[in-house]
Amino acid sequence: MTRRLEALRAQGAEAFDGPGFRFIEALLERAEGLDGVAGEHLRRRAAERLSAFEAAFASARAEARATLATLDAAEADPEGDFTRAFASGDYGFVRREAPRALRRARTDDVDAARSRVLRLARQARGRGLTLPPPLRARVQAATADGARDPDALAELRTVGDQLARALFREAADHARSALVVARAGDRVAETVGPYNPEALAARTLALVEALSPGYLRATLAGLEDLAALRRLPEPRRGRRRR
């Protein structure tokens, strides 16, 4: 656990969640001074906290990396503030300030606005993001040559904002799927049989993520919909007539 904490520290975990990180360190320090059941209890508690911290850190890092790519595509980080925040582990800054930076990257020039839409569209294709047909049609129409009136500028801005939101949603979905895979692996004990259901599920999720992250996100979204349906109240059954 100490090596895992040091690896997290090197990646900027203290900037990500300083109190949570120091709490795990404190648990380990207290566990070292205790023997027997008390020490084992604290070590087990530290291990649970550390696994949850690692999963949350990996999820936030994945989301921040995707957000950083979106900002680069829109040329919304000219001073490199977001790049430095990502390197230091301050993913909260990236998440909070990215929408504002994208709005500031708007321009009053039609050609620049069209270039922004094209860059965001290339970013979406690069991530394998399937745009809704209406948005895809608006991207094609807005980026066509010839339109330079004020309405064209407004349309380019709107389409660019919609593309940015779609990329942000994709980043959030990616982070959520990464968290699901990480938690599935954490649930598996060190020694399990070849047909253990939790081990099989964890390996399947990891394999699908490696082969097709988009398919994994779609599958998890469907499972979340089914889980929501299971939480609905049971329908009231009327009394049968004799």
Side-chain angles (χ1 to χ4, degrees):
M1 283 191 285
T2 301
R3 287 194 298 269
R4 289 159 66 187
L5 279 172
E6 290 304 318
L8 286 168
R9 190 197 308 276
Q11 295 180 68
E14 289 180 291
F16 168 67
D17 182 4
F21 187 83
R22 287 188 290 273
F23 179 70
I24 299 171
E25 284 187 317
L27 286 176
L28 285 178
E29 290 174 1
R30 291 187 62 185
E32 290 176 359
L34 296 173
D35 295 326
V37 177
E40 183 61 29
H41 173 74
L42 284 182
R43 278 187 288 273
R44 187 164 55 249
R45 188 179 177 192
E48 293 172 355
R49 288 272 185 166
L50 180 56
S51 295
F53 189 98
E54 286 174 329
F57 184 79
S59 174
R61 185 177 179 85
E63 181 179 357
R65 183 184 289 112
T67 302
L68 197 63
T70 302
L71 292 166
D72 290 340
E75 295 182 355
D77 188 22
E79 305 297 329
D81 295 336
F82 291 92
T83 302
R84 287 189 293 272
F86 178 84
S88 68
D90 192 359
Y91 307 139
F93 173 84
V94 178
R95 184 183 64 253
R96 290 191 309 271
E97 300 298 325
R100 190 176 303 154
L102 283 170
R103 287 194 298 269
R104 287 198 302 267
R106 281 180 164 191
T107 178
D108 292 331
D109 182 74
V110 173
D111 291 332
R114 183 177 291 109
S115 297
R116 172 178 178 254
V117 171
L118 289 171
R119 285 194 302 271
L120 291 171
R122 283 195 298 269
Q123 183 71 25
R125 287 195 298 271
R127 293 190 198 174
L129 178 61
T130 302
L131 299 176
L135 178 56
R136 190 164 60 245
R138 291 184 71 177
V139 170
Q140 293 175 352
T143 54
D145 294 331
R148 297 183 178 278
D149 55 21
D151 292 338
L153 177 60
E155 175 67 5
L156 286 166
R157 283 178 169 177
T158 300
V159 171
D161 291 344
Q162 289 184 1
L163 283 172
R165 285 194 295 271
L167 288 167
F168 274 123
R169 283 195 299 270
E170 189 271 343
D173 290 343
H174 174 78
R176 185 167 62 249
S177 64
L179 181 61
V180 168
V181 174
R183 284 181 173 173
D186 291 338
R187 288 172 59 92
V188 180
E190 293 183 0
T191 55
V192 294
Y195 301 110
N196 179 272
E198 291 186 344
L200 288 173
R203 286 198 294 269
T204 300
L205 287 170
L207 179 61
V208 173
E209 183 185 38
L211 293 174
S212 178
Y215 179 78
L216 175 62
R217 290 194 293 271
T219 302
L220 291 177
L223 292 175
E224 288 177 354
D225 291 340
L226 290 175
L229 290 175
R230 292 186 62 184
R231 290 193 292 269
L232 292 175
E234 289 289 334
R236 297 181 63 180
R237 296 179 180 179
R239 294 181 179 179
R240 292 184 178 180
R241 294 182 179 178
R242 291 185 177 180

